[in-house]
């Protein structure tokens, strides 16, 4: 932004943002205001807007700007202006306290963030309480600041570092009793003032979440009593009930280390046990909001006391009334209630899985049985439901979560026992269709966990399902088809059922609403019963030929072809080529038809459907070929290549279609391996030609596949290097653009995969090339890129590159490799280590640190003394203080980190040291 804009211009932009009827006007205003917020003029303009407080919109923009500038640009202010900024913000919040709650929150956040950054503002809590607690009109904003202050301590928007954070937490713990006393005083004066009580409970919850409240002090505090009184009362307003529930959940979460917080843990445990009557009252009144709140509290109680529940069930804090509460909630007719407790049941299952104590298992078995019965009931569709079960709506997703939970817990009850009980409810009774469907759904969830060997019940179920009359409800047939698909192991052990099962599934395939699950079931049977299905290959081929005559979801159609390809790979070698050609011909003919059609006829010319189908065929046709034998798929892939080449040429500007072409070629090359050698020249020529005009990153990925397949063939190495150099020219130009790395993470990802394949297959070829130094410079630059896949590829390249100079994997040429690595590291080693340290501290999320640690580890193994010097030099350049004057890192912390890394005996020790060290800058 050139020059400071006038206030009137800012007002006009804010007005346009909120009130311009033209969306493009709003967009322009938003972009201009965003640019203003990033400029250094924003501080003064925001301050002036708040001082004038002309209207809500301009004040909100100004308050939000203040918060954002403090979070992201605090370094722009000289340290002698910090006190005046604090005083100005406190003055604004007092003057604007009645204007709007959202403005109050933004200003409270700005003040809280300033307090955390400004090391010279000592005892900020005490100062605020003393200044504002005696003025009733100031209490709302005081409580707002005291609520957001603990929340901001761990905010990702503030990089205050572990040292400052520890100092703040210690400071807040010291003043916590002052805050609790203030909250108690406010509560006593509030009476039935709902808004004030909500603020009090929110503030208390925030301090619980930070974990700084003294357990003994809180156990006997009247605020705790008030919380449970509010939750016990039938007439409590909804918003207040939610605030009290949140606060209790925060308190329970804060005491997970029960032994250290025993007095408070006991009080909370007893308090929650008093809420059963209130829960039943909420159910009777059909107050679903309160029911959900109670279930959250009961679940959090169980999560907190899980260790006690498992180790000392039925005693003291392991009292199993906690589980009874969850099962009471599971009995509520609305499935959203039981869903809240799912995470606890997962965790309970994990804990019980680790113990082999059968007595403990027997204690919990009845609870799990009751839960499974409740879940089966919740999975029932409405009796007036028409059509098949929906899988993508909320209820469909709930059923999928139930299925996952049942799979995780079934070992406690016994898969076979549960399956038999469910089956007997169908066999012995005559339940309504919706009960039958739900039972079949749960049976499908556990079918795979049952041993199929010599199991008459499974055989009986399979026999019963395939004999279901067509008159049953369509949803029952739908779920029974899913069950058959899950029982493919049983079919494999009892091949006499293969014909009736396939006949049953073929009926489903011909019915539009049952076609996709039937296709999926056939795919499962093809995967598991490959040898038996070889006899039915012609039938599969017929289905594949008429695939588009069935009403299939694209994924289901691809799945059917996958199953067919898996069976095809089991045919005798001499038959595979002919059968593969037939399987591919439908898709190839469709592609040819699209290529020849008039582009102006208004019909779709999108070939992705057929490319995806070809890709899945190549991917899963993996016959066993002995050395010396010609690959049976080679001839077919050579025949198909011209069509794929022409398709790629026609759609060369469309990234989506080119990506599908490359994917198809990738699996074709993988399918026949070295058998695709004659395609190498024309394929690389076309890739390079198209890439120079359209930089689709999938060409780089396909290039990496070619290097992986042919990189160790001496006759191919120069050609592959020429390909690399040709692809690098437009790629480097693309990445040199402003924010090029950040705007093209897919290109970075695929480019460094390509480099890595060179390192793995023909490192000397790359290391001796002209391009290697540019490759390394881009590698150093890309280390700061905060993109999971791209960063992972960059780090893997750097690690593997250095590793070639360390590892004696390919014995020959080791000395040459080592010398070449020495030369490149002499040029970029210091820069690389320095950039990696900077990236870890300021750019990269913690999950990337293990990858960085591997690069450091390899560099250290390669040349420890030199790496030690590089690391020392890199650490000296780090900032020692944040803008607010707080110490980021001490000299001792720097030397300790250096020692931990350089004396590490394993890579994971480097990773641990990096994790601890980078926390000082987060």
């Amino acid at each position: 932004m050139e020059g400071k804009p006038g206030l009137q211009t800012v007002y006009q932009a804010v007005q346009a943002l909120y009130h311009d009827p033209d969306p493009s006007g709003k967009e322009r205003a938003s972009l201009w205001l965003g640019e203003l917020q990033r400029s250094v003029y924003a501080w003064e303009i925001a301050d002036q807007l708040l001082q004038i407080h002309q209207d809500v919109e301009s004040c909100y923009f100004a308050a939000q700007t203040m918060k954002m500038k403090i979070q992201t640009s605090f370094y722009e202010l000289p340290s002698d202006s910090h006190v005046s900024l604090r005083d100005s913000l406190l003055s604004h919040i007092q003057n604007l306290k009645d204007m709007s709650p959202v403005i109050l929150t933004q200003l409270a956040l700005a003040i809280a963030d300033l307090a955390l950054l400004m090391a010279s503002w000592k005892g900020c809590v005490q100062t605020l309480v003393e200044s504002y607690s005696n003025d009733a009109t100031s209490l709302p904003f005081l409580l707002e600041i005291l609520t957001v202050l603990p929340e901001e301590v761990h905010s990702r928007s503030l990089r205050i570092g572990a040292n400052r954070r520890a100092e703040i937490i210690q400071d807040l713990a010291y003043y916590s009793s002052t805050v609790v006393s203030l909250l108690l005083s406010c509560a006593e004066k509030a009476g039935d003032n709902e808004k004030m009580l909500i603020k009090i409970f929110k503030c208390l919850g925030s301090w619980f979440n930070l974990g700084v409240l003294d357990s003994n002090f809180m156990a006997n505090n009247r605020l705790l009593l008030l919380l449970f009184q509010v939750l016990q009362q039938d007439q409590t307003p909804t918003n207040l009930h939610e605030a009290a529930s949140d606060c209790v959940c925060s308190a329970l979460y804060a005491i997970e280390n029960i032994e250290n917080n025993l007095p408070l843990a006991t009080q909370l445990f007893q308090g929650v046990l008093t809420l059963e009557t209130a829960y039943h009252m909420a159910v009777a009144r059909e107050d679903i909001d309160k029911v959900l709140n109670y279930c959250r509290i009961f679940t959090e109680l169980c999560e907190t006391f899980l260790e006690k529940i498992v180790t000392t069930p039925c005693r003291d804090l392991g009292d199993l009334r906690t589980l009874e509460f969850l099962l009471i909630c599971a009995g509520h007719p609305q499935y959203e209630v039981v869903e809240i407790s799912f995470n606890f049941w997962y965790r309970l299952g994990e804990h019980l899985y680790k113990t082999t104590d059968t007595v403990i298992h027997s204690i919990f078995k009845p609870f799990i049985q009751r839960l499974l019965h409740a879940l089966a009931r919740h999975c029932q569709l409405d009796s007036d439901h028409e059509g098949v079960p929906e899988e993508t709506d909320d209820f469909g997703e709930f059923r999928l979560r139930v299925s996952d939970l049942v799979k995780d817990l079934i070992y406690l009850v016994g898969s076979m026992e549960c399956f038999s009980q469910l089956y007997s409810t169908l066999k012995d009774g005559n339940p309504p269709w919706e009960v039958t469907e739900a039972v079949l759904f749960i049976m499908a969830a556990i079918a795979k966990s049952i041993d199929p060997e010599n199991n008459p019940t499974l055989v009986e179920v399979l026999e019963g399902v395939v004999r279901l009359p067509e008159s049953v409800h369509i949803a029952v047939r739908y779920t029974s088809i899913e069950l058959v698909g899950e029982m493919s192991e049983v079919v494999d052990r009892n091949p006499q059922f293969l014909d009736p099962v396939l006949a049953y599934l073929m009926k489903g395939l011909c019915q539009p609403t049952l076609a996709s699950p039937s296709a999926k079931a056939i795919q499962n049977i093809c995967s598991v019963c490959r040898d038996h299905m070889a006899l039915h290959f012609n039938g599969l081929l017929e289905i594949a030929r008429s695939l588009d005559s069935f009403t299939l979801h694209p994924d289901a159609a691809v799945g059917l072809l996958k199953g067919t390809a898996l069976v095809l790979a089991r045919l005798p070698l001499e038959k595979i080529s002919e059968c593969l050609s037939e399987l591919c011909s439908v898709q190839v003919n469709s592609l040819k038809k699209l290529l020849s059609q008039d582009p102006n006829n208004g019909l779709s010319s999108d070939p992705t459907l057929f490319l995806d189908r070809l890709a899945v065929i190549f991917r899963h046709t993996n016959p066993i070929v002995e050395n010396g034998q010609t690959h049976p798929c080679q001839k077919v892939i050579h025949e198909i290549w011209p069509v794929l080449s022409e398709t790629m040429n026609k759609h060369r500007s469309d990234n989506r279609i080119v990506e599908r072409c490359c994917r198809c070629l990738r699996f074709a090359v993988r399918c026949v391996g070295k058998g695709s050698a004659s395609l190498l020249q024309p394929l690389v020529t076309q890739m390079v030609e198209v890439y120079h005009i359209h930089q689709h990153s999938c060409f780089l990925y396909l290039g990496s596949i070619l290097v992986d397949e042919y990189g160790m063939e001496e006759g191919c190495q120069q050609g592959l290097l020429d390909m690399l150099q040709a692809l690098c020219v437009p790629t480097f130009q693309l990445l040199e653009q402003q924010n090029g790395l950040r705007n093209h993470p897919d290109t970075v990802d695929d480019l460094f995969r390509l480099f890595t394949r060179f390192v793995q297959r023909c490192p000397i070829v790359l290391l001796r090339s002209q391009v290697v130094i540019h490759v390394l410079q881009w590698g150093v630059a890309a280390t700061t890129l905060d993109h999971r896949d791209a960063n992972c590829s960059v780090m893997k390249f750097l690690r593997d590159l250095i590793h070639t100079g360390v590892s004696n994997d390919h014995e020959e040429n080791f000395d040459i490799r080592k010398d070449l690595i020495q030369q490149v590291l002499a040029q970029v080693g210091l820069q690389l280590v320095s950039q990696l340290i900077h990236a870890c501290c300021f750019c990269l999320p913690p999950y990337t640190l293990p990858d960085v640690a591997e690069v450091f580890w390899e560099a250290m193994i390669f040349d420890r003394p030199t790496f030690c010097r590089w690391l020392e030099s890199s650490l000296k350049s780090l900032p020692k203080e944040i803008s607010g004057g707080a110490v980021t890192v001490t000299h001792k912390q720097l030397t300790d980190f250096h020692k931990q890394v350089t004396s590490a005996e394993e890579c994971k020790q480097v990773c641990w040291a990096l994790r601890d060290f980078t926390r000082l800058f987060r």
Side-chain angles (χ1 to χ4, degrees), residues 742-757:
R742 196 179 315 147
N743 293 340
H744 304 283
D746 291 347
T747 299
V748 175
D749 182 16
D750 293 331
L751 179 69
F752 281 92
R753 281 175 189 267
L754 173 57
F755 294 154
T756 302
R757 289 299 190 193

Side-chain angles (χ1 to χ4, degrees), residues 631-644:
H631 198 290
C633 305
Q634 190 174 317
K635 178 171 170 280
V636 180
I637 286 168
H638 281 264
E639 288 167 1
I640 290 172
W641 157 247
V643 181
L644 293 177

